[in-house]
Amino acid sequence: MTEKEKMLAGLPYSAVDAQLLKELNECKDIIFRYNQLLPSMRAERTAMLKELLGHVGDDNILINQPFYCDYGKHISVGKRFFANFNFTVLDEALVTIGDDCFVGPNVGVYTACHSTDPVERNTRREWALPVTIGDNVWIGGSVTILAGVNIGDNVTIGAGSVVTRDIPSNSIAVGNPCRVIKKL
């Protein structure tokens, strides 16, 4: 298996693999250009997001600048997707976001995982786990969503939450760690 295949399969891989570094830098170049576009250049922004992301549900997508991601192609967003300023996605694994999702400012989705053992961590071996976010989800500002998390449909995640485990559909969840406080 290539290091990229290992990465996408959730297996340990070398984060300093030449092909992965090349793809990271290509994505960074696109992201740099995206973040330099004038906010009024809506059609150009949409076109660039369609080039960058793995799937875009429709033309009604808006990600306010700045936006950051590692690969882009591992991100899928549904119809009528909106993300506010400073949306950051470390998409070493697949990140799938459903229809009618709204993301507040300063939200991070992190699929990459690193060893807690400093010797192992310093080898630059890591692994990644996918994140899935259902339809009709509102993610409040400054939320962190960690690797391997699944968020169901019709969920609200309160501002400042750290989502470390799955959140079931039809829930309101808040806190660090994020927990369900109300079922809808």
Side-chain angles (χ1 to χ4, degrees):
M1 293 179 95
T2 66
E3 296 303 305
K4 182 173 183 173
E5 289 170 336
K6 292 176 191 175
M7 178 180 79
L8 292 172
L11 300 172
Y13 66 93
S14 172
V16 293
D17 173 70
Q19 181 61 35
L20 291 177
L21 292 174
K22 178 180 179 285
E23 290 182 30
L24 280 166
N25 285 321
E26 288 170 354
C27 181
K28 287 178 186 180
D29 287 349
I30 295 169
I31 287 291
F32 178 84
R33 290 193 314 272
Y34 178 80
N35 287 331
Q36 301 307 308
L37 290 174
L38 292 171
S40 61
M41 299 176 73
R42 180 76 186 257
E44 292 84 349
R45 290 169 64 190
T46 299
M48 193 168 280
L49 288 170
K50 285 183 165 186
E51 172 191 350
L52 176 66
L53 303 181
H55 172 79
V56 174
D58 62 16
D59 286 345
N60 195 4
I61 180 175
L62 178 58
I63 300 177
N64 281 330
Q65 298 126 309
F67 166 55
Y68 304 100
C69 64
D70 281 339
Y71 293 93
K73 295 295 183 196
H74 307 146
I75 302 169
S76 171
V77 299
K79 296 175 183 172
R80 298 169 297 279
F81 178 73
F82 170 77
N84 217 322
F85 308 104
N86 290 317
F87 184 42
T88 300
V89 183
L90 304 186
D91 59 315
E92 278 67 17
L94 298 178
V95 174
T96 305
I97 302 172
D99 294 340
D100 297 301
C101 289
F102 301 91
V103 176
N106 304 308
V107 168
V109 178
Y110 308 137
T111 67
C113 303
H114 306 276
S115 176
T116 56
D117 178 275
V119 172
E120 185 178 350
R121 185 172 54 244
N122 289 338
T123 68
R124 304 302 191 260
R125 303 228 18 108
E126 57 187 58
W127 65 97
L129 300 172
V131 169
T132 302
I133 299 170
D135 296 333
N136 305 307
V137 173
W138 171 250
I139 299 170
S142 299
V143 167
T144 300
I145 300 170
L146 298 182
V149 165
N150 293 297
I151 297 173
D153 297 332
N154 310 311
V155 170
T156 298
I157 305 292
S161 296
V162 179
V163 187
T164 61
R165 61 181 151 236
D166 293 354
I167 303 295
S169 293
N170 305 307
S171 299
I172 297 173
V174 300
N176 181 4
C178 190
R179 61 182 176 77
V180 174
I181 62 164
K182 183 178 182 181
K183 293 292 285 179
L184 304 175

